Amino acid sequence: MGQKEKQVLVSLIASLIIIVFYSLWVFNRYIESNPEIINDLKFWGRSFIVLIPVAIIAQIVIHILFAIINKIVTDEDISDKDDERDKLIELKSLRVSYWVFIIGFMSAMGAVALGMELWVMFVTLIVSGFLSDLISSVVKIWYYRKGV
Amino acid sequence: MAKCNIENKIRILRFHAGEMTQQELADKTGVSRQTIMAIEQGKYSPTLELAFRIARVFDTPVGEVFFYRND
């Protein structure tokens, strides 16, 4: 497995860890004690605002840990330089990721249009954001393995 | 993946260049070793610029390194 593939795999695992732990934390801290909060706009606003920096910091920390472990195990430095193939793969995966998010966004708006509760829209938005990230990573690994 | 009809002689040219490693070629052309490996295996068709850079390393015309195979 190449270095870039490893990095993408780490991103994928990091995304999974972040979304699972953040969801559990939000559920245990807010929703469990007060289930009515899921239809409160302020709650969702705060959840999104906190999720973004938490996700970014957690990704950075996980990547630093990966770089340290990788250096110890393989004695190789992680290259942050992308060549033309990396950029092409990035663009192709981004295209797939956008489509996934657009479908999720339309579904979220559809839920609102159908008169569903507010939380359905926000959960659909979070799930589609997470899925688009996940699928983007899977597509990248696919292109690195099968060729582009 | 769509079948790539562009083939290359990079492996042979590396051999004739004193068994140049993929890493050496990668360093000389400014790409990663994985990219050189993908090109050699026909999993990636390089841009025209990279094709010329590779040909220049071997001091040979680009047509001698890459060629189109008609099926």
Side-chain angles (χ1 to χ4, degrees), chain A residues 2-3 81 83-85 88 142-143 145-148, chain B residues 1 30-32 34-35 38 43-47 50:
Chain A
Q3 207 181 70
K81 200 177 75 176
D83 62 21
E84 57 174 52
R85 179 167 156 265
L88 183 62
W142 166 267
Y143 279 127
R145 299 234 129 191
K146 299 287 174 188
V148 59
Chain B
M1 290 297 105
V31 293
S32 66
Q34 280 74 25
T35 297
K43 287 183 176 178
Y44 173 62
S45 296
T47 59
L50 178 56

Side-chain angles (χ1 to χ4, degrees), chain A residues 104-123:
Chain A
F105 182 80
M106 294 308 285
S107 306
M109 293 306 118
V112 175
L114 290 171
M116 289 182 183
E117 285 188 82
L118 202 61
W119 68 268
V120 179
M121 178 191 83
F122 285 109
V123 168

Side-chain angles (χ1 to χ4, degrees), chain A residues 5 15 18 30 36 40 43 51 58 83 89 98 105 111 120 142 148:
Chain A
E5 284 172 67
S15 297
I18 292 161
Y30 300 104
E36 294 300 312
D40 182 8
F43 160 74
L51 174 63
D83 62 21
I89 290 173
Y98 275 147
F105 182 80
V120 179
W142 166 267
V148 59

Side-chain angles (χ1 to χ4, degrees), chain A residues 62 81 102 111 126 128 143:
Chain A
I62 291 170
K81 200 177 75 176
I102 286 167
I126 290 175
S128 62
Y143 279 127

Side-chain angles (χ1 to χ4, degrees), chain A:
Chain A
M1 186 179 268
Q3 207 181 70
K4 288 284 174 190
E5 284 172 67
K6 282 185 200 165
Q7 278 177 282
V8 175
L9 198 63
V10 168
S11 280
L12 195 149
I13 294 165
S15 297
L16 276 169
I17 292 169
I18 292 161
I19 199 74
V20 168
F21 278 90
Y22 187 76
S23 304
L24 284 173
W25 180 75
V26 168
F27 184 82
N28 289 329
R29 192 176 161 93
Y30 300 104
I31 302 171
E32 200 174 25
S33 56
N34 181 18
E36 294 300 312
I37 205 168
I38 57 167
N39 282 319
D40 182 8
L41 271 175
K42 206 187 276 180
F43 160 74
W44 286 107
R46 283 179 182 163
S47 299
F48 270 87
I49 289 213
V50 173
L51 174 63
I52 295 162
V54 164
I56 293 168
I57 293 165
Q59 281 277 4
I60 292 168
V61 170
I62 291 170
H63 274 89
I64 290 170
L65 286 173
F66 166 69
I68 294 167
I69 295 165
N70 187 64
K71 176 75 182 169
I72 294 165
V73 175
T74 64
D75 201 32
E76 276 178 15
D77 289 319
I78 295 286
S79 166
D80 56 353
K81 200 177 75 176
D82 285 348
D83 62 21
E84 57 174 52
R85 179 167 156 265
D86 298 322
K87 284 174 188 161
L88 183 62
I89 290 173
E90 179 72 41
L91 279 174
K92 288 196 171 204
S93 69
L94 203 61
R95 188 177 57 182
V96 177
S97 148
Y98 275 147
W99 275 110
V100 174
F101 187 73
I102 286 167
I103 292 166
F105 182 80
M106 294 308 285
S107 306
M109 293 306 118
V112 175
L114 290 171
M116 289 182 183
E117 285 188 82
L118 202 61
W119 68 268
V120 179
M121 178 191 83
F122 285 109
V123 168
T124 310
L125 280 178
I126 290 175
V127 168
S128 62
F130 168 67
L131 271 181
S132 70
D133 186 34
L134 205 76
I135 290 170
S136 161
S137 297
V138 172
V139 168
K140 275 183 202 165
I141 293 172
W142 166 267
Y143 279 127
Y144 275 119
R145 299 234 129 191
K146 299 287 174 188
V148 59

